[in-house]
Amino acid sequence: MAETTSNVAQGVTDHALERYIGNTIRELRQKHGLTIAEVAEQSGISRGMLSKIENAQTATSLETLAKLASALGVSLATLFRNYNIPAGSAQLVKQGEGMEVVRRGTKRGHTYHLLAYDQGPTKRFEPFLITMDDASEVFPTFEHPGTEFIYMLEGAIEYRHGQSTYLLEPGDSLTFRGDIPHGPEKLVVLPIRFLAIIYYSALPMLE
């Protein structure tokens, strides 16, 4: 399925980050001996869009990056691993300084901030701070490896996992399998903020 212009508007806007991600995707693809056509087919995006991403000619959404990471046999965090990471084994992310990896819709939309960048040989977890403050937003469903944990900080949301829907309010948490379709169903009280932590199994991923 080809990417649309709206995906570009929703994506990462920092050109340095676009170049870094493009180079990382190209290096991983070449490392595994895959062609642009093969990765495009496996990820469900067009060859032209993949070429533009690799050459930093367009921004893209978190959803598309997740598809590319899956096609390349790595976790999403691998695409950001060494981007602007200080040396050392500890990472401090000050309030409001997490890397914004996707923005959907208008300025009053849907934002993801990646709060840590795993530097190890395999990915164990990915923590995101997610903010939603536009009731008119249309949110896609997600599927990914591992287990996801959500902790509500502010607002209220109906969150769907498979055939079930859960009302989440501040202090509530929800843990579920990531490979079952899931995502926001209804924004009940705005603004909404919650932590989403994806934990991967101990089995090493292809790097």
Side-chain angles (χ1 to χ4, degrees):
M1 179 177 62
E3 286 284 289
T4 64
T5 304
S6 61
N7 291 123
V8 176
Q10 294 169 356
V12 181
T13 57
D14 181 78
H15 294 299
L17 179 57
E18 290 168 8
R19 288 192 295 271
Y20 179 83
I21 290 176
N23 289 335
T24 300
I25 290 172
R26 182 188 299 109
E27 289 172 1
L28 287 169
R29 177 176 61 77
Q30 293 175 344
K31 178 179 179 180
H32 295 308
L34 298 171
T35 66
I36 286 181
E38 288 171 333
V39 174
E41 181 179 0
Q42 292 176 28
S43 60
I45 69 173
S46 69
R47 286 177 289 179
M49 176 57 68
L50 177 54
S51 178
K52 288 182 178 180
I53 292 171
E54 287 193 357
N55 290 287
Q57 295 175 348
T58 185
T60 190
S61 68
L62 182 65
E63 185 178 8
T64 297
L65 291 178
K67 290 178 180 178
L68 286 170
S70 178
L72 293 167
V74 299
S75 72
L76 179 60
T78 299
L79 303 184
F80 303 93
R81 175 191 291 175
N82 295 317
Y83 179 77
N84 198 26
I85 299 177
S89 59
Q91 298 174 27
L92 172 64
V93 177
K94 300 291 286 185
Q95 180 178 349
E97 294 183 1
M99 182 190 297
E100 185 175 325
V101 293
V102 68
R103 179 183 293 274
R104 297 186 178 276
T106 65
K107 292 182 179 179
R108 291 178 52 79
H110 181 185
T111 61
Y112 279 73
H113 284 91
L114 185 60
L115 300 180
Y117 317 94
D118 195 334
Q119 301 179 63
T122 58
K123 297 294 157 291
R124 291 291 180 261
F125 74 102
E126 293 174 331
F128 294 93
L129 174 62
I130 300 173
T131 302
M132 301 176 181
D133 54 13
D134 186 349
S136 66
E137 279 292 311
V138 176
F139 303 110
T141 56
F142 298 95
E143 295 179 59
H144 55 76
T147 300
E148 183 164 347
F149 171 82
I150 288 177
Y151 182 80
M152 285 295 294
L153 299 171
E154 183 180 6
I157 187 173
E158 289 184 4
Y159 201 90
R160 176 171 293 279
H161 181 257
Q163 300 301 313
S164 301
T165 302
Y166 305 89
L167 174 63
L168 301 178
E169 299 173 306
D172 293 346
S173 63
L174 181 67
T175 305
F176 52 85
R177 284 174 47 182
D179 59 350
I180 295 176
H182 58 275
E185 180 76 8
K186 180 180 179 181
L187 309 189
V188 180
V189 178
L190 297 172
I192 292 168
R193 287 193 310 134
F194 61 90
L195 289 173
I197 301 174
I198 302 173
Y199 174 77
Y200 297 99
S201 70
L203 295 176
M205 302 183 70
L206 295 177
E207 296 277 336

